[in-house]
């Protein structure tokens, strides 16, 4: 028997005046501490959801409680740590070290030259090779990188976005072919998410947005046809959030981007259910535990409704948000760095309570240098302790039904819907055009820069407490063992690349690159052409140049501060 | 009426993380300075130094989070010497491991501001240049 709503309302009013305000006025507080216009106490009066329609069961529409019926009862989240530094050899050692320590998925992150499609011997790459990721110039580097890694059994995430991600993807496929693996057996993902970078990391946005979208759709098409277990895109909200966006902007811009891809793929004539199940998402796990959990729950409900109602997706898998979560790097402090272990723990908890499929925990020395072996192992242990020692995996969506969390979930959904509407209106009813307009006009850049500035102001004014940074400070000189990247490694990488170029069949390289150029100028799918080129020992830089030369170098709105 | 301080804030090299550089730029503008912000694709060191000369700035601020700070700063200082503007102060912010700070100062970098330094500290440092 449910309580009578009116009776609850009466009792709440009574409690408010007789108990709550009485206690506060005893303390000299005159007006109630409201959040917005609400008292921060949530009751059945706040949650008017229809359970079956809005919340439902795990693995059933609208997936608010989770995308799989059994969630962690069947299968824990994939535990993975980003790795990439030095050369493919060092990074391969790091992969093995993490797998030995119980990692269940491998994540490769590439250095800046690789991401931007500059080979290690390019003058622009000097001093940057292997500093902030692993350099991959050729299929040979890919071979070394995954040597002895059971890629037919372990889920591999390639954290590579444009402009070089299609060439990196091609190199990975070519490497698997060489190993004699059937490519339809490969499970993994390529980040390949171009749209977020115009906003979050505009300095690597080399290709015009429309061409970027075309490449993304090429990848969808290729994977739909040949690689059923591969995720052709990881629609990344994380970089947007880390560059300054609020939680609401993070989710809104991410879903807007996702909708833009869907509309582009539909324009190409693809069936929504042919690629819908393959879309995956990549969110931040921030410090505000309940807000973050509400974000994940709202994301699932929103996407399910968008895909079903707006794009007529019939396959349930097309309606599900499967997502990876990574701790929020901007919450990591360089002051009292060991405090970051506690931050990472709370963020991991948020991701797990929110039903993530895969989690990356930020190492505590993230803001000091490339993580050391000790710090990545501690990060992995964080995931393991949350999974095995807290009991949160013994039930599904443990926070579901919390008056507060359900209210926050509703509020998040509502606010995101409003922003989505605004972006769609910028494109006169087309989300694809709205997103492109938002990129080209600098709208997203301005909004995110402002949010970053406001956040920083809150920290510097002390309104937002960051322990060890603006409160509870200490004079410190903590001797932490930091990893240093040996500058000799860059020379070795460049030397190996020169050797590869000396010993290859130049005629074949030229022919295959010409085909990539032709493909870029035409309408065909670029992925098979890139696989041919990379197998002929063309480099990631040469392949990327081929497409950049055809599309023209895009200069994103620069100087938006 | 004192002349407004003119500051060049640049993202040299390939590093794309702009959050800190933008916040510092905006803070300096709010403090009454003029800021030239450079973060184009394929931005080269000669371009940065040419801009510093053309815009006649009082200081160059570099933001580097990519781990490539040693080689970038060496090239910046070399270029400045080549073009006779090595008396212009250069400061660096970003993810700079502690053990590299003395090396940067030895090269001629005036000051290094790590993560979490209050923006006010940077503003005061820059204002002190005016004497």
């Amino acid at each position: 028997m449910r309580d009578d709503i009116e009776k609850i309302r009466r009792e709440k009013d009574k409690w408010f005046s007789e108990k709550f305000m009485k206690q506060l006025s005893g303390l000299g507080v005159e007006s109630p501490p409201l959040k917005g216009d609400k008292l921060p106490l949530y009751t059945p009066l706040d949650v008017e959801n229809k359970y079956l329609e809005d919340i439902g069961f795990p693995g059933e529409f609208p997936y608010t409680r989770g995308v799989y019926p059994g969630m962690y009862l069947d299968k824990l989240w994939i535990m993975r740590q980003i790795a990439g530094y030095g050369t493919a050899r060092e990074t391969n050692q790091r992969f093995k070290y993490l797998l030995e320590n119980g990692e269940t998925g491998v994540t490769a992150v590439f250095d800046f030259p690789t991401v931007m499609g500059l080979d290690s011997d390019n003058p622009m790459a000097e001093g940057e090779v292997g500093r902030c990721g692993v350099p991959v110039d050729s299929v040979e580097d890919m071979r070394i990188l995954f040597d002895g890694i059971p890629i037919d059994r372990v889920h591999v995430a390639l954290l590579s976005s444009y402009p070089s991600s299609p060439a990196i993807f091609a190199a990975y496929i070519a490497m698997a072919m060489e190993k004699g693996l059937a490519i339809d057996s490969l499970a993994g993902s390529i980040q390949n998410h171009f749209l977020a970078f115009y906003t979050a990391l505009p300095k690597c946005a080399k290709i015009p947005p429309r061409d970027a979208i075309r490449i993304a759709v090429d990848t969808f098409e290729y994977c739909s046809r040949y690689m059923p277990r591969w995720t052709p895109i990881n629609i990344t909200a994380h970089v947007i959030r880390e560059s300054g966006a609020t939680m609401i902007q993070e989710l809104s811009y991410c879903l807007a981007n996702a909708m833009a891809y869907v509309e582009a793929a539909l324009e190409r004539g693809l069936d929504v259910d042919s690629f819908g199940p393959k879309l995956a998402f990549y969110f931040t796990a921030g410090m505000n535990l309940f807000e973050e959990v509400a974000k994940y729950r709202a994301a699932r409900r929103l996407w399910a409704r968008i895909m079903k109602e707006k794009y007529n997706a019939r396959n349930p898998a097309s309606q599900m948000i499967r997502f990876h979560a990574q701790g929020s790097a901007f919450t990591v402090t360089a002051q009292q760095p060991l405090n970051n272990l506690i931050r990472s723990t709370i963020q991991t908890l948020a991701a797990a309570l929110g039903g993530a499929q895969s989690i990356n925990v930020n190492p505590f020395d993230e803001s000091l240098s490339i993580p050391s072996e000790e710090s990545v192992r501690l990060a992995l242990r964080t995931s393991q302790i949350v999974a095995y020692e807290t009991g949160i995996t013994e039930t599904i969506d443990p926070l579901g039904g919390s008056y507060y969390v359900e209210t926050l979930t509703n509020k998040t959904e509502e606010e995101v819907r409003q922003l989505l509407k605004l972006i769609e209106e910028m494109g006169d009813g087309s989300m694809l055009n709205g997103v492109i307009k938002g990129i080209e006009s600098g709208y997203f850049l301005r909004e995110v820069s402002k949010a970053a500035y406001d956040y920083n102001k809150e920290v510097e004014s002390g309104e937002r407490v960051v322990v060890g940074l603006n409160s509870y400070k200490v004079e410190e000189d903590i001797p932490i063992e930091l990893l240093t990247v040996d500058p000799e490694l860059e020379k070795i990488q460049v030397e190996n690349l020169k050797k590869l170029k000396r010993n290859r069949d130049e005629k074949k390289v030229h022919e295959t690159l010409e085909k990539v150029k032709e493909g870029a100028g035409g309408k065909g799918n670029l992925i098979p052409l890139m696989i041919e080129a990379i197998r002929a020992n063309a480099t990631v830089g040469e392949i990327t140049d081929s497409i950049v030369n055809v599309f023209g170098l895009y200069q994103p709105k620069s100087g938006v501060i | 009426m004192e002349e407004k301080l003119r500051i060049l804030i640049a993202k040299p090299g390939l590093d794309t993380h702009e959050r800190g550089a933008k916040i510092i730029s905006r803070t300096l503008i709010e403090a009454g300075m003029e800021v030239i912000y450079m973060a184009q694709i394929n931005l080269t060191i000669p371009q940065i130094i040419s801009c510093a000369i053309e815009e006649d700035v009082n200081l160059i601020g570099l933001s580097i989070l990519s781990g490539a700070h040693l080689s970038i700063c060496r090239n910046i200082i070399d270029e400045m010497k080549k073009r006779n503007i090595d008396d212009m102060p250069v400061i660096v912010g970003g993810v700079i491991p502690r053990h590299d700070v003395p090396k940067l100062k030895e090269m001629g970098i005036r000051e290094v501001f790590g993560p979490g330094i209050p923006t006010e500290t940077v503003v005061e440092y820059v204002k002190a240049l005016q004497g």
Side-chain angles (χ1 to χ4, degrees), chain A residues 387-447:
Chain A
Y388 297 110
E389 298 186 19
T390 62
I392 63 161
T393 58
E394 291 163 16
T395 182
I396 300 165
D397 187 32
L399 295 180
S402 147
Y403 304 124
Y404 179 39
V405 171
E406 295 299 352
T407 305
L408 275 177
T409 305
N410 294 341
K411 189 168 158 280
T412 304
E413 180 175 16
E414 187 43 44
E415 288 179 24
V416 169
R417 274 190 187 282
Q418 285 172 12
L419 253 186
L420 287 174
K421 196 162 158 274
L422 187 133
I423 299 163
E424 203 164 38
E425 280 166 4
M426 291 198 303
D428 301 321
S430 147
M431 191 56 99
L432 175 58
N433 293 339
V435 165
I436 290 173
K437 210 164 190 170
I439 289 168
E440 290 178 342
S441 69
Y443 163 81
F444 293 122
L445 269 176
R446 276 192 303 277
E447 292 292 306

Side-chain angles (χ1 to χ4, degrees), chain A residues 112-113 116 118 124 126-128 131-132 201-206 241-244 330 334-335 367-369 445 449-450 452-453 455-457 460 469 477-478 482 484 553-556 558-561, chain B residues 11-19 21-23 25-27 29-30 35 37-44 65-72 75 94-99 114-120:
Chain A
F112 277 125
M116 294 187 198
L118 303 167
M124 291 283 292
E126 191 215 338
E128 312 244 11
R131 293 284 172 171
C132 211
L201 304 166
K203 265 193 75 173
C204 46
K206 275 184 168 177
R241 178 76 175 275
E242 298 308 303
S243 59
F330 74 83
Q335 292 69 19
S367 63
L368 303 170
S369 78
L445 269 176
S449 293
K450 185 182 177 307
Y453 186 70
Y455 177 93
N456 196 59
K457 263 212 140 106
E460 295 201 342
L469 181 73
D477 191 12
I478 305 170
L482 294 180
T484 47
L553 183 67
Y554 179 76
Q555 273 288 3
S558 173
V560 176
I561 47 179
Chain B
K11 293 284 314 172
L14 306 179
D15 175 28
T16 59
H17 301 102
E18 291 185 54
R19 185 175 179 145
K22 285 182 175 184
I23 287 173
S25 300
R26 221 164 156 147
T27 308
I29 292 168
E30 292 221 333
V35 172
Y37 181 73
M38 289 185 98
Q40 300 87 309
I41 286 178
N42 297 344
L43 179 63
T44 65
L65 291 80
S66 61
H69 44 274
L70 290 176
S71 62
I72 287 173
N75 292 339
V95 178
I96 313 289
R98 215 180 21 233
H99 50 248
I117 296 270
T119 48
E120 199 44 46

Side-chain angles (χ1 to χ4, degrees), chain A residues 94-106:
Chain A
R94 178 62 63 94
F95 287 169
K96 285 174 178 160
Y97 171 82
L98 283 162
L99 287 167
E100 280 159 18
N101 276 286
E103 179 175 68
T104 53
V106 168

Side-chain angles (χ1 to χ4, degrees), chain B residues 48-99:
Chain B
I48 293 172
I49 302 308
S50 297
C51 176
I53 294 167
E54 280 160 31
E55 295 283 353
D56 191 23
V57 299
N58 305 85
L59 171 132
I60 300 174
L62 304 172
S63 158
I64 311 167
L65 291 80
S66 61
H69 44 274
L70 290 176
S71 62
I72 287 173
C73 290
R74 179 163 311 289
N75 292 339
I76 288 260
I77 299 284
D78 286 350
E79 183 71 18
M80 289 171 79
K81 282 182 179 151
K82 206 163 83 188
R83 301 175 64 175
N84 288 324
I85 60 155
D86 46 317
D87 54 345
M88 187 185 287
V90 182
I91 60 174
V92 176
V95 178
I96 313 289
R98 215 180 21 233
H99 50 248

Side-chain angles (χ1 to χ4, degrees), chain A residues 80-97:
Chain A
R80 53 182 358 132
Q81 290 302 129
I82 289 179
Y85 74 95
T87 70
R89 211 168 295 282
E90 283 69 34
T91 306
N92 174 267
Q93 291 303 318
R94 178 62 63 94
F95 287 169
K96 285 174 178 160
Y97 171 82

Side-chain angles (χ1 to χ4, degrees), chain A residues 226-425:
Chain A
Y226 305 111
M227 296 175 79
R229 301 177 65 211
W230 193 270
T231 297
I233 192 164
N234 235 308
I235 301 166
T236 309
H238 182 264
V239 286
I240 299 179
R241 178 76 175 275
E242 298 308 303
S243 59
T246 63
M247 180 271 271
I248 296 293
Q249 288 172 331
E250 175 196 356
L251 184 51
S252 307
Y253 298 170
C254 172
L255 293 182
N257 285 342
M259 290 164 78
Y261 289 125
V262 170
E263 290 179 12
L266 295 176
E267 258 181 33
R268 167 100 47 118
L270 299 184
D271 177 68
V272 67
D273 287 320
S274 74
F275 63 87
K278 308 184 80 55
L279 304 178
F281 293 75
Y282 182 166
F283 294 114
T284 282
M287 284 306 289
N288 191 322
L289 183 79
F290 295 110
E291 266 188 17
E292 293 295 310
V293 172
K295 174 182 78 183
Y296 304 131
R297 297 173 85 252
R300 281 193 289 265
R301 189 158 74 203
L302 273 157
W303 188 243
R305 288 176 171 167
I306 289 168
M307 284 298 269
K308 187 178 176 177
E309 291 157 16
K310 190 174 167 70
Y311 300 120
N312 301 318
R314 292 286 158 260
N315 180 348
S318 301
Q319 303 162 359
M320 295 175 193
I321 273 200
R322 294 168 302 119
F323 74 96
H324 169 74
Q326 184 187 339
S328 173
F330 74 83
T331 62
V332 171
T333 61
Q335 292 69 19
Q336 302 176 43
L338 290 173
N339 292 349
N340 298 325
L341 288 166
I342 292 96
R343 293 190 177 100
S344 283
T345 306
I346 291 162
Q347 293 168 356
T348 306
L349 196 59
L353 290 169
Q357 277 56 60
S358 155
I359 301 176
N360 175 85
V361 182
N362 284 334
F364 73 90
D365 52 0
E366 173 106 12
S367 63
L368 303 170
S369 78
I370 297 265
S372 67
E373 269 196 356
E374 183 195 32
S375 76
V376 292
R377 191 173 65 195
L378 274 167
L380 183 57
R381 293 291 177 260
T382 306
S383 229
Q384 290 158 337
I385 289 167
V386 169
Y388 297 110
E389 298 186 19
T390 62
I392 63 161
T393 58
E394 291 163 16
T395 182
I396 300 165
D397 187 32
L399 295 180
S402 147
Y403 304 124
Y404 179 39
V405 171
E406 295 299 352
T407 305
L408 275 177
T409 305
N410 294 341
K411 189 168 158 280
T412 304
E413 180 175 16
E414 187 43 44
E415 288 179 24
V416 169
R417 274 190 187 282
Q418 285 172 12
L419 253 186
L420 287 174
K421 196 162 158 274
L422 187 133
I423 299 163
E424 203 164 38
E425 280 166 4

